[in-house]
Amino acid sequence: MENTTARRPGSATRKVLVLAEGSGGLVARSQALAADVTKDEFDGLIERGQLKRFLPGIYVVGGAPLTLRQKLLGACLWVLGHSSHRSAAHLLELPGG
């Protein structure tokens, strides 16, 4: 049986997937809560394996490969900061990155 939860407009799964799509498969709990996903809905996504913990408060969509890009973006999300010059070059796919 196909799971249609992700396609229902306004569903927690859909909201989280939209957030994660813009950040390489990563989502911060705080982002999801700000997008009106409840704590119980978010925790349900974790319990069902749809999200996997990467760093405290940072999750990766289940099944998504953990790449260097995700690790760098996840670290930036976690500390609400920026990457170094070389890491930023890598993220932007510039020479020397």
Side-chain angles (χ1 to χ4, degrees):
M1 177 179 274
E2 187 178 354
N3 181 352
T4 58
T5 304
R7 284 189 243 137
R8 271 197 320 237
S11 76
T13 303
R14 181 178 173 82
K15 290 176 186 178
V16 168
L17 289 175
V18 167
L19 290 170
E21 184 177 35
S23 57
L26 297 166
V27 63
R29 178 183 284 270
S30 59
Q31 288 177 307
L33 297 178
D36 295 325
V37 175
T38 68
K39 289 181 181 184
D40 288 342
E41 289 171 329
F42 195 84
D43 291 342
L45 295 173
I46 297 166
E47 290 169 13
R48 290 189 298 278
Q50 292 175 286
L51 293 176
K52 305 278 186 195
R53 183 179 181 268
F54 171 59
L55 290 167
I58 308 298
Y59 296 82
V60 63
V61 173
L66 193 56
T67 64
L68 175 59
R69 180 178 178 80
Q70 285 178 307
K71 291 176 184 177
L72 292 170
L73 287 171
C76 291
L77 278 173
W78 185 42
V79 299
L80 300 175
H82 306 281
S83 59
S84 72
H85 295 84
R86 188 163 199 160
S87 296
H90 176 79
L91 290 173
L92 296 171
E93 299 176 6
L94 298 174

